[in-house]
Amino acid sequence: MAVSDDAFPVRKRRPSLGAFVSPNLSDQKLLESLLVLSQDVSSLRPLGILLRRISASVIRKSRLISVLFEELVRNPMTVSPPSAAMCYEELHIVLQRIKVLLEDCSTCSRMWLLMQIPSISSSFHHLIVELSTLLDIFPARDLNLSEDVCELLDLIKKQCSETAADPVDENLRAEVLKIMENIKREIAPDHSELRQIFERLNLRDSASCSNEIENLEDEVQNQDDEKSKAEVIALIGLVRYAKCVLHGASTPRIETRRQKSAAEGNIPADFRCPITLDLMRDPVVVSTGQTYDRTSIILWIESGHATCPKTGQTLTHTQLIPNLALKSLISMWCREQRIPFESTEVNVKANGAGLKNKTALEAIKMTVSFLVNKLTASSQTADVIVIDRLVHELRVLAKTDSDCRNCIADAGALPLLVKFLSSDNPSLQINAVTTILNMSILEANKARIMETDGVLNGVIEVLRSGATWEAKGNAAATVFSLTGVQGFRKKLGKKTRVVKALLDLAKEGPTGPRRDAMVAILNLAGDREAVAKLVEGGVVEMVGEVMETMVEEAVAVLELVVKRGGVMAISAAYHGEMMKKLTAVLRDGSDRARESAAATLVNMCRKGGSEMVAELAAISGIERVVWEIMGTGTGRARRKAATLLRILRRWAAGLIGEHFSTQHSATSLDISTRIVLPA
């Protein structure tokens, strides 16, 4: 089926309220406002590429109308006729709409504007007709206008009747629609035809195409329905394909800091999953009303739990309701922070069934195929600059959406990327490992990464001895992504090289890579066997070192380590010092950190015996701090604080002896063997 002319809906514009409401002013003030408004429209430049003729015509008419208003302001009447006052108000509305439309067209995507030619031309035509109608009923004689001004008025009326659309724009639009239909049929566009079209749109190089892609991505957010979004994404696919085949892979941008990852930066507390502390990608609501990331809460339920992790309440059912409002807010925040997020994936529904936009999908496949084939050929020549640019393009594509990630894997990119992980070129190494990181967001690609020969070992080597902190941080983020799968978490947790490299990275380097390492460690700590490796590698000492700079992450890691048998490592090392640090977190930390600190202290006292309780009781002001949390902490923090207070009071009453820890061993063992994620 051909792509119809009305396949592209009218662009959603966001004018101010004043664009459609005349200001409540006196006649003289309204005339002055009209003069300023008409001069504002007159000062605008005609659209440079598309709609040039009609935009220039509208601006020219506004310039002539400004002369009319200038005459009226210069020679005011004491009382304007009622018909004149009505015309002034209506003219104000029309000129405001003209101004908004011109400004909107001048700032939007050229490709999207081209698809909008019929509707926007119609909008201009309707505004000109309204303008002509108002000038026809304008009471020129009642206003005692000069003969010259009356002749000017007649000239404007005449020009309003001569406006016509530009057939050149229509022809260009038809050519683009034809190319998109061919792509839908899996027919690659002719490169010479594609070049001519993009040159006419003034998209003559890689930079202008990249800017056009960004503008189209903004247009996705402007659309209300899924079909409209899918059509814009199809245009993105066309521009991205043209950018690669016409101008080659773009030069990677030199940045003073690396692209943010989800583990980096100040993520708002409401956007973090209460289970993993990571940014939620797919927030869902459980029966208690609490919101969690879908993957995390599913793992929690599948591991045998029937309670809400945050409140401890019993789940009346296991149905998960998508929190679309929160997901939209997270998506907007990620866009502002330039953090990858699944924000442009679109399913177009037809007859109730999910159907991927065929044109967009085929454009992605063509682009990926071109890049992978080019990369294969360039690998034979060892041209590092060209290879780096090609891998950078794959990195950008892999950041876009799941279709791109799947197509890149299907095209066989992973075996090609392996050799670049050990490259001496820092930029190429960063681009290679970040491409793998972006690919790993797709669940199916996690298995491909683990199973493709050399990929996992290559990522681990970058984590251990990468050329830059950015490369190491992205390698750690890749490990974090892979540990989202239970089986891969066990496999990675058994590797001493992974554990040691993560612990080393967590202790040194910039904040971003250290956070990437910490969240990867947190995921590994969800497995009991991995905890043994972490303890052996010095996780307790690491937590003690980073407690002041990364409080939430450090305390969360410690909570899991203690829960899964690491309390003896704390006891053997410096449990007294650690308890003082945890007490400081109870006193001054964030709600989330205080919650984890309270839970950690409870487990340390229960599993560490009377010696641990004595150390805690000896800390000055501990009961006052616990009382404060019972009054102001989160629900879980209050429950843990109450338990802590009971333990302290039983110890003070002499009810806790040397066998305290063994009294709880059976219960502790039962809990620890069932829990996969922190409560």
Side-chain angles (χ1 to χ4, degrees), residues 94-364:
V94 172
L95 286 173
Q96 277 277 30
R97 291 168 63 189
I98 289 173
K99 181 183 177 183
V100 167
L101 185 57
L102 284 168
E103 291 176 341
D104 199 51
C105 291
S106 66
T107 57
C108 74
S109 150
R110 296 170 197 170
M111 190 64 75
W112 181 242
L113 184 62
L114 179 63
M115 294 298 103
Q116 296 280 56
I117 289 293
S119 61
I120 295 179
S121 295
S122 177
S123 296
F124 274 119
H125 177 71
H126 288 154
L127 288 171
I128 291 172
V129 169
E130 289 184 37
L131 193 61
S132 177
T133 301
L134 290 171
L135 293 176
D136 282 339
I137 65 173
F138 192 77
R141 293 182 180 178
D142 296 341
L143 294 172
N144 299 322
L145 295 176
S146 66
E147 186 177 342
D148 289 343
V149 175
C150 288
E151 290 179 358
L152 176 65
L153 197 57
D154 291 336
L155 175 62
I156 300 172
K157 293 177 186 177
K158 182 180 179 182
Q159 289 189 359
C160 285
S161 63
E162 296 175 350
T163 304
D166 192 340
V168 175
D169 292 344
E170 290 287 353
N171 293 337
L172 182 59
R173 179 175 182 272
E175 290 178 30
V176 172
L177 287 172
K178 181 181 177 182
I179 285 179
M180 294 183 68
E181 177 60 25
N182 285 338
I183 290 176
K184 185 177 180 180
R185 295 175 178 175
E186 303 181 26
I187 302 173
D190 181 81
H191 290 188
S192 60
E193 291 180 9
L194 200 61
R195 186 179 299 278
Q196 288 178 7
I197 290 172
F198 274 69
E199 285 182 353
R200 287 160 68 184
L201 289 170
N202 203 28
L203 301 174
R204 302 174 183 272
D205 53 32
S206 181
S208 60
C209 287
S210 295
N211 290 334
E212 177 68 5
I213 290 170
E214 290 182 6
N215 289 335
L216 284 168
E217 287 172 345
D218 289 338
E219 289 296 341
V220 175
Q221 307 304 319
N222 288 334
Q223 304 308 312
D224 290 325
D225 62 280
E226 297 299 292
K227 185 175 186 297
S228 302
K229 291 182 179 181
E231 298 295 354
V232 183
I233 292 172
L235 291 174
I236 294 174
L238 173 62
V239 177
R240 185 173 282 123
Y241 174 77
K243 170 178 175 281
C244 291
V245 300
L246 298 180
H247 309 300
S250 58
T251 304
R253 296 177 182 175
I254 299 175
E255 302 179 4
T256 56
R257 65 183 303 280
R258 68 189 188 93
Q259 180 81 23
K260 288 183 180 179
S261 71
E264 184 179 350
N266 187 21
I267 301 174
D270 291 339
F271 294 174
R272 290 178 181 264
C273 175
I275 295 175
T276 64
L277 304 181
D278 189 39
L279 181 74
M280 287 188 280
R281 301 282 178 177
D282 188 8
V284 292
V285 181
V286 297
S287 63
T288 60
Q290 299 297 323
T291 298
Y292 302 93
D293 196 40
R294 184 184 295 274
T295 303
S296 302
I297 192 62
I298 287 176
L299 282 173
W300 170 266
I301 294 171
E302 288 180 349
S303 64
H305 294 85
T307 58
C308 173
K310 192 169 184 180
T311 66
Q313 295 174 296
T314 301
L315 296 174
T316 56
H317 59 77
T318 57
Q319 183 180 357
L320 305 177
I321 302 171
N323 192 334
L324 298 180
L326 180 59
K327 185 174 183 178
S328 177
L329 290 173
I330 294 173
S331 174
M332 291 170 60
W333 180 81
C334 285
R335 188 169 184 81
E336 292 172 0
Q337 301 294 319
R338 302 190 69 80
I339 291 174
F341 188 79
E342 304 278 64
S343 59
T344 57
E345 289 187 50
V346 174
N347 288 328
V348 180
K349 294 185 178 179
N351 300 323
L355 178 65
K356 288 289 183 183
N357 181 283
K358 176 71 171 173
T359 307
L361 191 57
E362 291 305 324
I364 291 169

Side-chain angles (χ1 to χ4, degrees), residues 20 93 104 149 193 287 352 389 391 398 497 505 541 560 648 650 669:
F20 304 107
I93 293 173
D104 199 51
V149 175
E193 291 180 9
S287 63
R389 291 177 177 178
V391 175
R497 291 185 303 155
L505 182 57
E541 292 80 358
L560 278 177
L648 289 170
R650 288 185 65 198
L669 180 60

